[in-house]
Amino acid sequence: MTTVCFDGKSLVSDSQATAGENFIVTNIAKKVHTPEEGEYWDYNGRRVLAFGIAGDPSSIEYIREGLNEGLTHKTAFSASSYMEFDALLVMEDATSVIFSGYMNNGVQTYHSFPAEVPVCVGTGTPFALAVIDHSKNNQAERGVRAAIKFCAYTGGDLQIWELPPIPEVRSVRPVVETPTEEKKEEKDGDQK
């Protein structure tokens, strides 16, 4: 699986992807994601600056799309297959939320909850949290390094994302103006 940790300052993950119990697929999997230019992510109206993913990589695009549209605690993806994942969402105010997908009695189920920092998701969580509990600086980085050392499903290089300064005023989703018929005609007339 993986290990992703957030300590209030840094979101850190490993880069190993596995299949089944004994097969390493790659050591360069991207697990820390940020919005592309022009994207605005939010969860329950709060701006999301990054997320780390543990579990099924096919969930990444669904999570990105959900965040672009405004992910909520009620969001359910229209995926054609079962996905098991834990997404660690980092908000602009340095708080975090875990958004999970899992199978429950044959039904794809989603669950989310606020997570107190420091927080980790993935198979290396026990190793990472043990180290984080005894670290003063670079907690997330040290935690993931420990998971790489001791967890068979965590490996590769570190992916590190740093939280920018917290804004004084909370961000709000930009309003996208949809062109009215009058404005469309005006624009078409300007192009002729």
Side-chain angles (χ1 to χ4, degrees), residues 3 120 122-131 147 151:
T3 305
C120 300
T123 53
T125 293
F127 305 108
L129 286 177
V131 169
C151 177

Side-chain angles (χ1 to χ4, degrees), residues 52-127:
I53 187 79
D56 189 341
S58 67
S59 64
I60 294 167
E61 289 309 311
Y62 289 97
I63 294 165
R64 287 187 79 94
E65 185 179 305
L67 289 168
N68 270 315
E69 293 173 2
L71 190 68
T72 74
H73 62 281
K74 295 179 181 180
T75 297
F77 302 128
S78 59
S80 59
S81 63
Y82 159 71
M83 294 183 298
E84 185 171 322
F85 66 88
D86 290 311
L88 178 51
L89 312 178
V90 177
M91 312 308 198
E92 72 178 343
D93 63 359
T95 60
S96 59
V97 168
I98 296 175
F99 184 79
S100 300
Y102 54 94
M103 188 62 80
N104 184 16
N105 294 325
V107 176
Q108 179 75 43
T109 304
Y110 301 96
H111 182 72
S112 62
F113 55 93
E116 194 171 313
V117 173
V119 59
C120 300
V121 295
T123 53
T125 293
F127 305 108

Side-chain angles (χ1 to χ4, degrees), residues 122-145:
T123 53
T125 293
F127 305 108
L129 286 177
V131 169
I132 286 172
D133 190 48
H134 290 61
S135 297
K136 292 183 180 166
N137 296 315
N138 301 319
Q139 294 178 336
E141 185 176 333
R142 289 177 191 217
V144 175
R145 284 191 194 283

